[in-house]
Amino acid sequence: MPQLKDYEAIVGTQVIDELRLLADKVKGWSVQMVNSTAVGGGVAEILNRMTPFLNELGINARWDVIKGGEQFYKVTKKFHNALHGKAEDVTPEDFSIFNETNEMNNKTLEITADIAYIHDPQPIGLIHQKDHKKAKWLWRCHIDVSNPNERVWSFLRPFIDRYDSAVFSAPAFSQELPIRQFLISPSIDPLSDKNRELGQETIEGVLKRFQIDPGKPIVTQISRFDYLKDPLGVIEAFEMVQRNIDCQLILAGGEATDDPEGSEVLAKVRERARDNPDVHVLAIPSGSDIEINALQRASSVVVQKSIKEGFGLTVAEALWKARPVVASAVGGITLQVAHKYSGLLCHSVEGAALAIKQLLQNPEYAAKLGQNGREHIRQNYLLTRHLRDYLLLFLSLFYGGDIIRL
Ligand code: UDP
């Protein structure tokens, strides 16, 4: 596990010094992160990296995962889709299932820390412990709720309103709320197995294991198999590219324990790809970080054709590897990709196909976009910036006024 000093070479000594200075004010406080899955998806990814570094900075940070059954995760997946603006038939029974599971977790998962940091809607009902706990309560929303389904949003509002503050990933996601709001973007860890430099032999070894031809340009999308990631649209765009350029597509993803739709979507993708030998559909187990790292590094173009996206860590991961990216202009992706500067944005299948073609045909231009992307991530979306934001956020919970003196 890398230590903070190891990041000096990437972000500069000053950034790390500032983190230690801020942490001196927060040392000894405890933070309890709670979400709904230990593996799969961006939230688990972030918590997995941030928790140990908070501890290194002297904050007593722990990470708990709520428990829930199949029914509960079906309901919360409906909530997730509905909050992203998708039409979903949410029933009164769904709301009851949600409440029952949250009440069960209130009995088994005790908030004991100074700061309760609750991620996304699934564990939001833990706020019922607020009355008899001294903690400050933060609700961290990773979803793009700029256009939420009204019924689900109204159901969640009484929970949200009881928190001390809410945290969103991007300015466009903030909502009218009676509590303070903070805008904090997620981040990636440049020294994790998912993102660190890899030797050429490791990359080639992974391609060989997945039976992918290293001599033919590779277009890749790494994502959970989720309709909102539009894997079928990616295949359609790829097949348009294939008419002009001999290339191959990798769609790689695994399961998240809180996403019950994964196997259905994977089956549809497999069916759609069955007759095209250049489309590789890879179901990879959780923890395949080196494999994902290698697939991203081996790609001529990385695609993220999401229909909705909270932030899109996969975009940051690809840009950090200086890969040319084609991504939908949705949610947090627009924070990361400045069109024609750090990648190409698209709005349709045809647009994605054109952009992929343009990058495959202009390797110099593609490389320039990738380099710009890497610098943009270095400046804005590495874990050190995220840690700084967390420390400032924690300080703001306990200090009155607008100015925090260091
Ligand atoms: N990821 C992974 N294995 C997979 C698919 C995705 O480890 O099979 C990782 C991916 O590398 C990224 C995160 O899960 O770090 C996905 O985060 P993102 O914000 O892109 O999307 P989310 O899944 O949270 O909607």
Side-chain angles (χ1 to χ4, degrees), residues 41-42 45 194 223-224 229 253-254 284 292 309 312-314 317:
E45 190 78 22
K194 174 85 46 79
S223 274
R224 290 178 296 103
K229 308 288 183 186
I284 45 176
I292 290 174
E309 192 60 77
L313 284 178
T314 50
E317 289 161 6

Side-chain angles (χ1 to χ4, degrees), residues 180-198:
R180 274 208 296 182
Q181 298 185 45
F182 293 86
L183 305 173
I184 300 181
S185 308
S187 64
I188 58 164
D189 180 349
L191 296 181
S192 66
D193 281 348
K194 174 85 46 79
N195 296 309
R196 68 180 167 80
E197 300 287 333
L198 291 180

